[in-house]
Amino acid sequence: MAKASLLILKVLLTILFSVWVSLWLLQPTRTWEKKWREAEEKAMKTVFNYNGLSFAVYTFPFLALAMVGFIYLELKLRTNRMRPESKLISALSNPIVVNRYLGILTGTEILLVFLFVTFLFWTFYAHISNDFKKMMPTKSLKLSMWQYKVLKVATRCGLLAEACLALLLLPILRGMAIFRILGVQFEVSVRYHIWLGTTMITFATLHGAGTFFTWGIKHHIQDEMWNWQPTGRIYLAGEIALAAGLAIWITSLPHIRRKHFEIFYYTHHLYVIFFTFFLFHAGDRHFYMVFPGIFLFVLDKFLRVIQSRPKTCILSARVFPCRAIELTLPKDPKLTYTPASIIFVKIPRISELQWHSFSITSSSSVDHHTMSVIIKSEGWWTNALYNLVSAKPDREADQRKCLPIAVEGPYGSASADFLSYDSLLLVAGGIGITPFLSILQEIASARSNGRRIHPKRVLLIYAVKKTQDVSLLNPVLAQLLNVEQNYLKLKVFVTREFGNQTVGEVLNEVSQIKTIDFDTSTSKYAAYGAENLLWMAAIVGLCSIIFLVLLICFNWSTHFYGEMPSGRVMKVPSSATDLFLSCSFVIAIICSSLLAIVLRRKRVGKELLSFSGIPIETTKPTGIGIDNTLVEHEIHFGGRPDFRVFCKFSNETEGSSVGVFVCGPESMKESVALTCKLSSRAFRVDSQKRKLSVSFHSLNFTL
């Protein structure tokens, strides 16, 4: 029954997606333009008007796609099916292009980029060819033929920016992550958001620059740029939107984002100004094309705010010698997550606004009441947290004062895909070890519970700058010490120090980990995670209905506004329509959010219990006296890892599939991807005549 339901939902998803894509492909054609005018004329005689028609045609198909997708993902989670990747999917997920400037591109990404570029080319060609056939220069500016062509090219660049804007917000949805339907996780899809944002701002700049150029030739800049006309395109609104978009893009450049995160973070909130003035500039008819992404993004934002309330408290913290801390947080035993999932945390004592993402280092299969994250002090916020946790208290006490923390998430894969591989190669650099700590604990849990699906061999390559960083392996020390199960092998590379110690000796040197307990008597709440996807699908549907009802009410009111007793028809200003559209959307979001708050409080009052009475183990092994039990593992000083070990590992491994997971600096990821690409060609055929395959996966420990 479940299998049949999943198949039906998958077919429905395919149909809805095909309809939505077809709308974008047909929209530039003259046939569609003619049919659309006829449909608008018929709709104008009904209560739906053209607003309801535009919402139903351009916006709702994608919202329906999202709702069906959430139901599909929820059923998929409940069936708990886990199958190895097919050869085609495995081949498309492997790196095809590894370049210093382009980064790592898989076959799937190259295919999607090609299709999107083809779509942009088709959209531009279809519009511009129709424009050039008409050849009717505007009389107001008295343009020559070439000036008219420049203006039309600039105008059509605005439509290309609009197409990018329609997809811009979809990759960064968290709770309502549409990309999860395709198996793409949030931390990976952020790069697509960056690509789309860069492309959008490029076309938007060409759109604005071309328009300003035409105005400049005819000396109309002063007349046009400050114009806020009652109908048609509002140029001033477009200029404000472009300025806000450029500010967001400039502060998002890697150099600024890494060194001045606060500037990047706060400037990004200009998206409110950008979308508001984009609506006033482009008009409601164009806004419906990009509305699905904005609709889901704002709803997702409000639901995440509700999810992060009420705040909880940190149970304990462990301070590592490498200026890193491990925070242990309480969670509901029913809350489960897949390894390498991420959570967003906010420490109000440091900042009331900033949220930061971190990989969960614990496993919900092992720790039922707690979850942990390791944070290394590398920036202003992380340094402030480290100093706050490690600072000496004003008075001697066994426990520190309660440290409130807001938690959002976890967000992760729908299934533990790494358990489907016969062997695993895990490559980590520095703090990039954090996703693998949860993966290794999940593998150990699967093996101890006698599950049949688990990797038979695991090789962990860990590159660090100093020996102090090796202390981050402490959470998986039990697996390293378990000599009876020799499935795990560790190779440590210390790049900036020299020595001849063993792994055990190094762990003994850096094993002085300080544990700090916090008082939790002032809070009784734990982290409960996001609501189930069926509930989110219902919220999207409710919000859509409320918005459509408000549109109908607006159309009904403007019908009487337009017909005067004298018979004269008064046209409603376009800015008034845009303003009402915005207000309708805000009211729909508020109503949906109020329902979400009621349901959340009901759940909190019904299920949340004080975690102070739950026995929680917060102490972990320190690693003292283990130097003689880690002889199977290796440590190398003064050099980086030689990734040619892949070939050796492929010849030694048992089985037909090897999963390669890497997390660390971009240069490390590129080196592993390139070696993986070359090594996959040399993989042998085993005794059962099965060709060994390799699947490459890139993970992020933060965003």
Side-chain angles (χ1 to χ4, degrees):
M1 183 65 181
K3 187 176 181 180
S5 300
L6 286 173
L7 180 60
I8 293 173
L9 290 174
K10 190 177 291 187
V11 172
L12 185 56
L13 283 172
T14 304
I15 294 174
L16 289 171
F17 181 74
S18 301
V19 169
W20 189 66
V21 172
S22 299
L23 291 175
W24 279 94
L25 292 175
L26 293 173
Q27 192 260 345
T29 62
R30 300 181 68 177
T31 302
W32 175 264
E33 183 179 353
K34 180 181 178 181
K35 295 293 183 181
W36 182 252
R37 286 179 180 176
E38 295 175 358
E40 274 195 335
E41 290 177 359
K42 294 179 180 179
M44 292 288 285
K45 301 177 182 179
T46 67
V47 293
F48 286 96
N49 210 312
Y50 76 89
N51 284 292
L53 177 65
S54 299
F55 178 79
V57 173
Y58 288 118
T59 302
F60 189 74
F62 193 87
L63 298 181
L65 174 70
M67 288 185 282
V68 175
F70 296 150
I71 299 172
Y72 171 79
L73 287 173
E74 184 66 25
L75 292 181
K76 190 176 180 181
L77 282 171
R78 294 183 179 183
T79 56
N80 198 24
R81 295 189 306 163
M82 184 171 55
R83 298 178 300 173
E85 291 182 342
S86 65
K87 292 183 179 180
L88 177 60
I89 296 177
S90 178
L92 290 176
S93 64
N94 281 335
I96 303 297
V97 176
V98 181
N99 185 272
R100 178 181 177 183
Y101 302 101
L102 297 177
I104 303 170
L105 299 178
T106 64
T108 303
E109 291 172 338
I110 293 175
L111 177 61
L112 292 177
V113 169
F114 172 76
L115 293 176
F116 186 67
V117 171
T118 303
F119 161 72
L120 292 179
F121 178 81
W122 154 250
T123 301
F124 182 79
Y125 171 77
H127 279 295
I128 208 69
S129 59
N130 291 334
D131 292 337
F132 286 178
K133 287 178 182 178
K134 297 177 182 178
M135 289 295 183
M136 295 177 62
T138 59
K139 297 180 180 180
S140 59
L141 295 178
K142 298 180 180 180
L143 299 176
S144 63
M145 197 60 65
W146 73 270
Q147 293 168 350
Y148 171 78
K149 290 183 178 180
V150 170
L151 181 62
K152 281 300 178 181
V153 168
T155 302
R156 297 315 176 188
C157 283
L159 291 179
L160 299 184
E162 181 182 294
C164 296
L165 186 59
L167 301 174
L168 180 64
L169 298 177
L170 300 180
I172 56 173
L173 297 176
R174 300 179 193 171
M176 296 186 171
I178 304 298
F179 277 38
R180 288 181 62 188
I181 302 173
L182 302 176
V184 180
Q185 298 311 307
F186 172 71
E187 67 271 17
V188 178
S189 60
V190 168
R191 68 187 298 194
Y192 307 144
H193 172 72
I194 296 173
W195 292 351
L196 288 168
T198 302
T199 307
M200 183 209 69
I201 205 65
T202 300
F203 286 127
T205 304
L206 291 174
H207 170 64
T211 305
F212 269 96
F213 175 75
T214 307
W215 290 346
I217 291 176
K218 294 300 179 180
H219 306 288
H220 280 270
I221 290 183
Q222 293 295 332
D223 298 332
E224 300 290 345
M225 71 178 299
W226 305 111
N227 192 9
W228 190 287
Q229 60 272 29
T231 59
R233 299 289 181 268
I234 301 176
Y235 300 132
L236 180 59
E239 294 154 14
I240 296 174
L242 179 59
L246 285 171
I248 294 173
W249 179 76
I250 291 172
T251 55
S252 301
L253 295 175
H255 181 75
I256 298 177
R257 186 177 71 249
R258 293 169 185 168
K259 293 190 175 182
H260 306 282
F261 178 81
E262 289 73 25
I263 297 177
F264 154 76
Y265 183 83
Y266 293 117
T267 307
H268 237 64
H269 288 79
L270 290 175
Y271 67 80
V272 177
I273 295 177
F274 175 81
F275 286 115
T276 301
F277 284 95
F278 169 79
L279 168 61
F280 284 105
H281 172 65
D284 53 323
R285 282 179 168 86
H286 283 269
F287 192 73
Y288 284 113
M289 301 290 290
V290 303
F291 194 38
I294 300 173
F295 190 101
L296 293 176
F297 175 78
V298 176
L299 191 57
D300 180 69
K301 188 82 172 178
F302 274 81
L303 293 180
R304 288 190 282 111
V305 171
I306 296 171
Q307 179 203 149
S308 63
R309 306 290 177 87
K311 299 183 182 68
T312 183
C313 281
I314 297 174
L315 291 177
S316 66
R318 299 203 303 157
V319 183
F320 292 89
C322 57
R323 287 189 62 82
I325 54 175
E326 181 183 33
L327 303 180
T328 301
L329 313 175
K331 78 170 185 68
D332 175 30
K334 298 179 183 178
L335 175 59
T336 59
Y337 49 85
T338 53
S341 296
I342 63 172
I343 61 172
F344 286 77
V345 299
K346 179 181 71 172
I347 309 291
R349 198 174 295 182
I350 299 176
S351 174
E352 283 285 354
L353 298 176
Q354 288 191 31
W355 289 84
H356 294 261
S357 62
F358 301 99
S359 292
I360 300 178
T361 57
S362 56
S363 169
S364 58
S365 300
V366 179
D367 301 315
H368 300 290
H369 298 283
T370 63
M371 60 182 175
S372 303
V373 292
I374 293 181
I375 303 171
K376 193 169 184 180
S377 55
E378 294 180 334
W380 172 82
W381 190 91
T382 52
N383 275 317
L385 177 60
Y386 180 84
N387 295 332
L388 183 64
V389 170
S390 59
K392 293 183 179 180
D394 297 334
R395 57 185 178 84
E396 294 295 330
D398 295 334
Q399 291 183 331
R400 304 284 182 89
K401 288 184 178 181
C402 175
L403 184 58
I405 182 173
V407 180
E408 180 196 317
Y411 305 113
S413 174
S415 62
D417 297 330
F418 59 89
L419 292 177
S420 63
Y421 294 105
D422 297 315
S423 302
L424 286 181
L425 276 168
L426 309 178
V427 184
I431 194 62
I433 191 65
T434 50
F436 299 139
L437 298 178
S438 60
I439 288 177
L440 292 175
Q441 292 180 71
E442 186 72 18
I443 293 174
S445 174
R447 296 179 71 91
S448 62
N449 293 332
R451 297 186 206 171
R452 293 184 178 181
I453 302 177
H454 55 73
K456 298 179 178 64
R457 293 199 59 193
V458 179
L459 173 61
L460 173 60
I461 300 176
Y462 187 30
V464 296
K465 294 179 180 179
K466 299 180 180 180
T467 54
Q468 287 184 339
D469 296 332
V470 182
S471 61
L472 296 179
L473 291 172
N474 189 270
V476 294
L477 198 55
Q479 287 89 292
L480 296 174
L481 289 171
N482 194 339
V483 294
E484 295 181 359
Q485 298 182 2
N486 57 356
Y487 67 93
L488 174 62
K489 187 172 183 180
L490 171 68
K491 292 180 181 289
V492 179
F493 293 84
V494 183
T495 59
R496 295 188 180 181
E497 291 182 1
F498 296 91
N500 55 3
Q501 300 105 311
T502 64
V503 174
E505 291 171 346
V506 170
L507 282 174
N508 274 329
E509 290 180 3
V510 298
S511 61
Q512 301 303 319
I513 300 173
K514 181 182 178 182
T515 301
I516 302 171
D517 295 322
F518 289 88
D519 180 23
T520 58
S521 59
T522 58
S523 175
K524 64 177 182 178
Y525 300 108
Y528 267 66
E531 304 293 344
N532 66 68
L533 294 171
L534 294 178
W535 181 85
M536 290 190 177
I539 289 292
V540 174
L542 175 64
C543 193
S544 303
I545 293 173
I546 295 174
F547 180 75
L548 184 58
V549 170
L550 291 172
L551 283 183
I552 293 175
C553 294
F554 172 70
N555 295 331
W556 181 76
S557 63
T558 54
H559 175 74
F560 292 99
Y561 174 79
E563 294 185 0
M564 302 299 292
S566 60
R568 186 169 57 91
V569 177
M570 293 183 63
K571 189 173 182 181
V572 180
S574 59
S575 57
T577 303
D578 299 337
L579 185 61
F580 184 84
L581 191 153
S582 302
C583 293
S584 301
F585 180 50
V586 170
I587 294 173
I589 291 293
I590 291 176
C591 293
S592 302
S593 300
L594 289 176
L595 176 62
I597 292 173
V598 172
L599 295 176
R600 184 73 174 184
R601 287 186 175 180
K602 184 178 179 180
R603 179 185 177 188
V604 167
K606 182 179 179 180
E607 299 183 1
L608 285 182
L609 299 174
S610 174
F611 53 76
S612 58
I614 299 175
I616 299 174
E617 184 67 34
T618 57
T619 59
K620 298 185 180 181
T622 59
I624 301 296
I626 58 172
D627 54 312
N628 294 325
T629 60
L630 295 173
V631 293
E632 296 295 328
H633 307 292
E634 303 175 9
I635 185 168
H636 305 273
F637 292 88
R640 296 182 178 182
D642 184 359
F643 296 120
R644 287 179 296 182
V645 70
F646 286 2
C647 295
K648 182 180 179 181
F649 182 78
S650 64
N651 292 326
E652 295 175 354
T653 188
E654 300 176 3
S656 61
S657 61
V658 179
V660 179
F661 293 77
V662 57
C663 183
E666 291 300 320
S667 57
M668 170 181 281
K669 292 181 180 179
E670 292 171 5
S671 299
V672 174
L674 184 60
T675 308
C676 183
K677 175 183 175 182
L678 298 175
S679 299
S680 61
R681 301 173 183 174
F683 276 1
R684 62 177 176 81
V685 177
D686 64 9
S687 58
Q688 299 181 11
K689 296 183 180 181
R690 297 178 302 179
K691 185 177 180 181
L692 295 177
S693 62
V694 59
S695 296
F696 176 85
H697 303 271
S698 176
L699 302 179
N700 292 325
F701 56 88
T702 187
L703 299 177

